[in-house]
Amino acid sequence: MFLWPPAVAIEAKTFRLFIDADARLAAAAGGVVRYLADVAGLENRAVVQLQSAVIAACSEAFEHLTAAHPQLEITFTRFSNRMEVALSHLGEDSPAVGLDKIAGFASQIGGTSSIQAVLAAFDRVQYETRDGEAVTRLTKYIGPANIDQNPSMT
């Protein structure tokens, strides 16, 4: 019996969450990325890493929320060849996930943050600001090397 990799939709699928700074809501965001990674057929280890990374990224982003702008917007998009998680907030022009940590400066000054898991789990991290909104985009590419060739039947 020949096992084909799971089918991946050609059209982009997008989920958008607006959450307050609450660890339970960060866990919900982790659940969304877990679902997307499962559907894409990623190996279980990669799925767990992505879930943990999104929870860590949300926790880091909560530090940038203000009373005037208390919500974090998280957009999950699944394309045929990648998954993207965009964390954005209004207010100051700082990244949703600390730019110093994205650039790797935290490790140079001896910092050990859970946000380093974000860099390990995702293939690409981008940052941009537009009209007073800071956006950090995390991208995981989906390819044959990332797909579980022996999925469990649960």
Side-chain angles (χ1 to χ4, degrees), residues 16-38:
R16 183 168 287 136
L17 296 176
F18 292 89
I19 63 174
D20 294 326
D22 185 328
R24 295 170 293 185
L25 298 174
V32 173
V33 83
R34 180 180 184 92
Y35 166 77
L36 290 174
D38 278 338

Side-chain angles (χ1 to χ4, degrees), residues 123-136:
D123 298 319
R124 186 175 190 188
V125 180
Q126 298 170 293
Y127 165 71
E128 65 180 299
T129 58
R130 58 176 180 243
D131 300 326
E133 179 181 27
V135 179
T136 302

